[in-house]
Amino acid sequence: MRQRSLGKTILKWEYGLLRSVSIKRRLFIIWGVVLLLMTLALFAMLSSTISSHEAYVSMRCTQLVNGVADQIKAGITSLLSVTKYPVVQINNLPNDTYNYLAHPDKYSRSVLYSDLEYKSTMLFEQNREIRLIAVFDLNGSGSYVKNNKKYTYMISPNQQPLQGGVINSEPWFADTLLEKGGPLVLRPDELEISGIYLTDKEEMLFVSRAIMSLEYFDPLGVILAGVDVSGGAAVYEETRLFDDQRMGFFSTDGKLLMGSMSQESVNAFLAAVDDTHNHSPEGSFRASAEGDDQIYHYSSALDGYYFVLQTPYRLVISDVIRQKLSLFAALFAGCILLGVVIIAIVHSIVRPVKNLADTCNDIVQKEDFTLSIADPFGDELSELTAAFNTMTRRIEYLIYDVYEKKMELTSTQLQLLRSQVNPHFLYNTLETIRTKAYLSGQQELSDMTLLLANLLRYGISAPANPVTVAEEMEKLQEYIALQHHLYGDRFTVSINIEPEILSCKMHKFVLQPLVENALYHGVNAIKTIGAVDVLGYLDGEKIIFQITDNGSGIPDDMLEDLREYMDNNNEKFTSIGLKNVHRRIRLLYGEPFGVAIASEVNVGTMITVTLPLRRE
């Protein structure tokens, strides 16, 4: 039972929640959900495709990095080996190059030439990518051998000694000496050698090393070797996947030796690899550089150096989109087509419902129940429209049959209410009394009778015809004059009426019963001088009258009962003046017109009359 009750509660809650949303919005919510699911599926497929393509790109880039890195590593390793030969001993004896540099006073320069020529022959045969081997003393004088043709051994015939005093002043020479025998890898643009011309220098990398004394570990000279790395660059150009990919070969301190990577990208790579991949000799990761997301594939070609391939991540995404463009276009077109179909379905439901609602509003505003809706279709909404047309025809009949009878009854009730206030026979009687009082010399009684007769004549003559506000005010002042004969100076009346409403129309005896109530129930109940204020003004399309007294006021519970009595909701009072005025206004003009009452004990009472603006 509890489960069934809970189920009903949930269903009721769901029903109420859905019914609080328009049909159009509910249908569009369904469309939105379907579109969302299709979008999620599309993104899932796109994500899977991107992941697969990323794996493929990563594999290809790793192969490229390893291939190029191996070639560069082979070249740099050869240079590192070549630059060690001056200090390599044979049978524990120094070679001629070392002897010349260590004892220039004992050996002639021809010893350096011969030994360099002999050693270079073997070194060029071992690695034909080597292009240059040069040895210099501390003064910058020395000799060199170069191989200009790729894969062809040739010793340059230039065996003339290089002039000193120029090379040893170059920054690379001084930096090499500071390394104390350690290798220094140099870019082509860092190397300036007076007297040496190298073909395709831009395609080479160089290693320099200080030749150190084996006894005192002081520098004796410098050896320089260069290797052609264009083969690795050619492999990179032929096998890279994207034109915007960049290659870089640089040291761990950020010195770019080869490639087109920017210094910002080099620094970003080193910062990221130190944080996450400092123990891996090769790998890949993503990092931000140059305002873009980058993929880095790297290999530690040598200790202290990295070969890196930089790929903007947007290239991978754009490549996926380019390859899957037709599929994505078909899915997007499917979403658009589905949206058009759903919108058509929504309109086929919402438009008839809106047409029905608009017709209902037109009927209410125009009070014309002859309006109907043409709907020749055969769905459920057509059935609803047919039922609506049947209902309006029935209402039209009821209005014709019942409304006329109700109006007749209302007219009868209105005449009855008027007859309670304006009995015609009293007028003739009062005329007789006034004449007799005048003849008897009782002037005050005659005046009182005349005032009362005038009021009765005002009410009897054409009681249904409206009068101007000015005429109603004139009769109100006559009534006040009549009451002064009774109360004397016990009360004062102040009348303030805006001039622009004096010519407006209203029905008779609207204000007199209300002023009478203020005098009888308000002023008469206090011992001090009473005050009644009558205010009339225009408020938009309404005329407002306010009758205020300083009487004893009405208790809250009695005030609430009085308001209900005015609306015929109880019979707790016998006074007819206030109720009759309110009922007459409601019968003549309907809501929101009528009489409202507000009161506070020991302060007074204010009655507000609201009438429609009628100028004719």
Side-chain angles (χ1 to χ4, degrees), residues 244-295:
D244 288 343
Q245 282 183 303
R246 296 180 183 179
M247 177 191 71
F249 175 63
F250 48 86
S251 61
T252 54
D253 60 359
K255 178 182 178 182
L256 182 64
L257 300 169
M258 176 183 176
S260 57
M261 285 180 61
S262 66
Q263 192 61 48
E264 180 184 348
S265 296
V266 171
N267 295 337
F269 169 83
L270 292 174
V273 81
D274 286 342
D275 292 340
T276 58
H277 298 81
N278 53 337
H279 298 299
S280 302
E282 61 181 39
S284 64
F285 59 87
R286 283 170 61 179
S288 179
E290 299 178 344
D292 203 353
D293 201 10
Q294 308 287 345
I295 304 176

Side-chain angles (χ1 to χ4, degrees), residues 40-90:
L40 292 176
L42 180 62
F43 274 107
M45 184 181 67
L46 178 62
S47 177
S48 176
T49 304
I50 291 175
S51 298
S52 300
H53 195 64
E54 281 183 6
Y56 169 75
V57 170
S58 180
M59 178 191 69
R60 290 286 305 276
C61 290
T62 300
Q63 292 173 350
L64 173 60
V65 166
N66 291 336
V68 178
D70 288 343
Q71 291 202 26
I72 294 178
K73 179 179 180 181
I76 298 297
T77 302
S78 297
L79 294 183
L80 295 176
S81 177
V82 166
T83 55
K84 291 180 181 179
Y85 97 85
V87 294
V88 175
Q89 297 182 348
I90 302 175

Side-chain angles (χ1 to χ4, degrees), residues 2 117 145 356 430 433 568 589 604:
R2 291 182 178 178
E117 182 179 1
V145 178
L356 185 63
L430 287 173
I433 295 174
N568 279 338
Y589 308 117

Side-chain angles (χ1 to χ4, degrees), residues 209-225:
R209 192 192 297 265
I211 303 171
M212 306 300 293
S213 171
L214 297 176
E215 295 177 309
Y216 307 108
F217 203 68
D218 291 330
L220 302 176
V222 172
I223 183 170
L224 175 69

